[in-house]
Structure formats: structure tokens, C-alpha cells
């Protein structure tokens, strides 16, 4: 498995993955943030690829000196194989390279479902943050 930055040729596969694993409401919100992040900094959209198949995606962003892991999605056939863990680890490395002081997980109702996953990573500092505006509007 390889973790790498998103490439334009990944768009269809990533969009299909998001549609497949996220609720309709979550997918709509995520697609807006995904498009916005690609226009700002595609290096913070990571994909996990295995044998030419997109196994997972992590959309991150930086706002001032805070890094946000906005949304992680892993294809059902690749779950419990370390894909999400590898995506988070790689994003943390990118955040460190950019001198991010704190890593946050937007505490929306969709990410709340993943709290046990994030807590199992034991990576610090990770905190859930309640945002007053959708990430796709306030960060950049």
C-alpha cells in the first residue's frame, strides 16, 4: 500500500469511495470541502492506493497553525488493515513539516462516529474541535 498526495486522475475513484462509505448528507458536505481543499492545497488530500485501487482518502487542511483532519474514509474491503492509521500518520508528518502546532478533528456528527478510531491511535495532540462554520468556509 502506498500513501500519496491526491492526483487529478484520482478524482472519480475518490468521489465514488466517498459516495460509497459516507452517508448522503456527509458526502455532500465532504465533497464541498474536498473541492475547496484541492483549490487551496492538494498536498493535504491523501490517498491510500493498493494495487492501483484507491483504498482510502484523508482530507486535511491548515488554518493558521492548526491542522485539521477533516474527513477520513476507507473502502470497506480495506478496513482493519491499517489504511486509516497510515493516512493519519502521513498527514501528521505533513503537518509537522509545515510547523502545525495543534492537530484537530472537527467534532461534527460524522466524525463523532470515528472518535474510537482516532482515540485508538494515541497520537497527540489530537482534539475534537467544535467549529462555528463548516471547514470548507473558514479554513484556507
Amino acid at each position: 500500500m502506498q500513501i500519496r498526495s491526491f492526483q487529478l486522475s484520482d478524482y472519480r475513484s475518490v468521489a465514488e469511495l466517498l459516495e460509497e462509505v459516507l452517508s448522503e448528507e456527509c458526502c455532500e458536505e465532504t465533497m464541498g470541502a474536498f473541492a475547496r481543499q484541492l483549490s487551496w492545497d492538494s498536498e493535504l488530500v491523501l490517498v491510500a492506493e493498493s494495487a492501483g485501487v484507491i483504498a482510502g482518502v484523508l482530507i486535511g487542511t491548515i488554518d493558521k497553525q492548526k491542522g485539521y483532519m477533516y474527513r477520513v474514509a476507507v473502502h470497506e474491503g480495506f478496513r482493519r488493515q491499517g489504511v486509516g492509521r497510515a493516512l493519519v500518520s502521513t498527514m501528521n508528518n505533513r503537518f509537522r513539516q509545515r510547523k502545525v502546532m495543534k492537530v484537530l478533528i472537527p467534532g461534527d456528527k460524522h466524525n463523532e462516529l470515528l472518535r474510537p478510531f482516532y482515540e485508538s491511535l494515541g497520537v497527540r495532540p489530537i482534539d475534537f474541535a467544535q467549529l462555528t462554520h463548516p471547514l470548507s468556509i473558514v479554513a484556507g
Side-chain angles (χ1 to χ4, degrees), residues 9-23:
S9 60
D10 298 325
Y11 185 84
R12 174 180 239 144
S13 296
V14 168
E16 288 172 357
L17 171 67
L18 294 173
E19 288 175 8
E20 188 176 312
V21 303
L22 302 178
S23 70

Side-chain angles (χ1 to χ4, degrees), residues 114-124 126 128:
L114 294 175
R115 186 183 285 266
F117 162 72
Y118 285 113
E119 289 175 348
S120 76
L121 298 177
V123 180
R124 295 289 178 245
I126 288 185
F128 278 74

Side-chain angles (χ1 to χ4, degrees), residues 1-139:
M1 179 180 59
Q2 174 191 17
I3 306 295
R4 59 174 175 76
S5 297
F6 173 88
Q7 300 168 357
L8 190 54
S9 60
D10 298 325
Y11 185 84
R12 174 180 239 144
S13 296
V14 168
E16 288 172 357
L17 171 67
L18 294 173
E19 288 175 8
E20 188 176 312
V21 303
L22 302 178
S23 70
E24 185 176 338
E25 176 189 14
C26 182
C27 186
E28 280 184 32
E29 291 174 16
T30 301
M31 289 304 292
F34 174 51
R36 176 103 23 152
Q37 185 57 39
L38 289 178
S39 72
W40 290 329
D41 185 352
S42 63
E43 292 291 311
L44 295 177
V45 178
L46 299 177
V47 296
E49 183 179 25
S50 178
V53 174
I54 301 297
V57 62
L58 174 58
I59 302 167
T61 196
I62 296 173
D63 184 23
K64 299 179 181 145
Q65 290 186 313
K66 293 178 183 168
Y68 291 88
M69 291 195 206
Y70 177 70
R71 192 77 70 223
V72 63
V74 175
H75 189 281
E76 191 172 324
F78 291 93
R79 291 185 185 158
R80 305 229 176 259
Q81 298 178 30
V83 174
R85 182 177 296 272
L87 285 164
V88 168
S89 176
T90 302
M91 186 64 73
N92 274 324
N93 289 338
R94 297 222 173 156
F95 285 157
R96 274 193 292 282
Q97 291 168 352
R98 295 177 183 211
K99 310 293 187 233
V100 165
M101 303 301 284
K102 188 168 192 152
V103 177
L104 300 163
I105 311 298
D108 64 24
K109 63 184 176 184
H110 310 296
N111 279 335
E112 277 297 324
L113 299 172
L114 294 175
R115 186 183 285 266
F117 162 72
Y118 285 113
E119 289 175 348
S120 76
L121 298 177
V123 180
R124 295 289 178 245
I126 288 185
D127 293 313
F128 278 74
Q130 296 301 322
L131 302 178
T132 56
H133 301 289
L135 191 62
S136 60
I137 295 172
V138 299

